[in-house]
Amino acid sequence: MRLSIWLGAIILLLSFGSVYTMPAGKSAEQQIHTIYDEIHNAFKQGDVSHIGEAYYTHDALLFPPTGGVYEGPDEITAMFEGMLAAGAILVVTPLEIEVYGDHAYERGVGAIHNPQGDVLRKDNYIVIWKKVDGQWKMYRDLVQGLPAE
């Protein structure tokens, strides 16, 4: 009887451990930071044509601070291409990332810079990430404008 209770407790603890473990959270956090570095570099290099496909799920939704919604990688890429054409460079700063298995929640601040490095606007954002084929991708991306300073 005692053995079955101990085995049950061990199985229960192991099952909880597989849902959320610290190493998976650190790995996801590092991957998310790397993705933002790659997006920033794409803006600096003048080629954002791959952003939607590379970093967003096939059913992603992006809610910009101006209203509306961009659906899927093609529309999201077109939005980023419009930003780049207007001379905008995106810089993203994650403030909080929490991982729950194959999903993650992130909160941060995004800044739009001009080519000279001047900040044109800042926005709060929340992203829900999904792990797809071993890669973290943005599933929902909600951006909310910050009040003028």
Side-chain angles (χ1 to χ4, degrees):
M1 179 76 170
R2 282 186 178 182
L3 180 59
S4 63
I5 291 173
W6 277 107
L7 286 175
I10 289 170
I11 290 169
L12 186 61
L13 287 172
L14 289 174
S15 68
F16 280 125
S18 68
V19 173
Y20 178 76
T21 60
M22 188 59 81
K26 285 187 179 182
S27 175
E29 186 172 303
Q30 290 170 349
Q31 289 178 39
I32 289 169
H33 282 278
T34 298
I35 288 168
Y36 286 134
D37 289 344
E38 291 171 1
I39 290 172
H40 178 71
N41 287 333
F43 270 92
K44 290 193 316 187
Q45 294 169 4
D47 182 12
V48 295
S49 62
H50 65 287
I51 288 179
E53 191 65 37
Y55 306 116
Y56 285 82
T57 64
H58 72 280
D59 56 348
L61 299 175
L62 186 148
F63 301 89
T66 55
V69 63
Y70 294 93
E71 297 183 36
D74 292 341
E75 286 187 16
I76 291 168
T77 294
M79 185 217 53
F80 284 119
E81 288 174 333
M83 288 174 60
L84 184 62
I89 297 173
L90 178 63
V91 179
V92 178
T93 305
L95 301 175
E96 172 184 10
I97 300 172
E98 293 185 28
V99 180
Y100 304 94
D102 286 343
H103 290 80
Y105 149 88
E106 176 206 356
R107 177 184 66 85
V109 174
I112 305 295
H113 295 253
N114 64 18
Q116 295 75 34
D118 300 319
V119 176
L120 304 176
R121 73 177 287 146
K122 286 186 177 182
D123 299 301
N124 286 311
Y125 70 87
I126 291 179
V127 173
I128 298 172
W129 293 81
K130 273 182 155 180
K131 200 170 204 179
V132 178
D133 297 327
Q135 300 294 316
W136 286 100
K137 293 194 173 203
M138 289 177 254
Y139 172 63
R140 298 292 184 260
D141 188 350
L142 173 66
V143 183
Q144 178 187 29
L146 286 169
E149 294 180 355

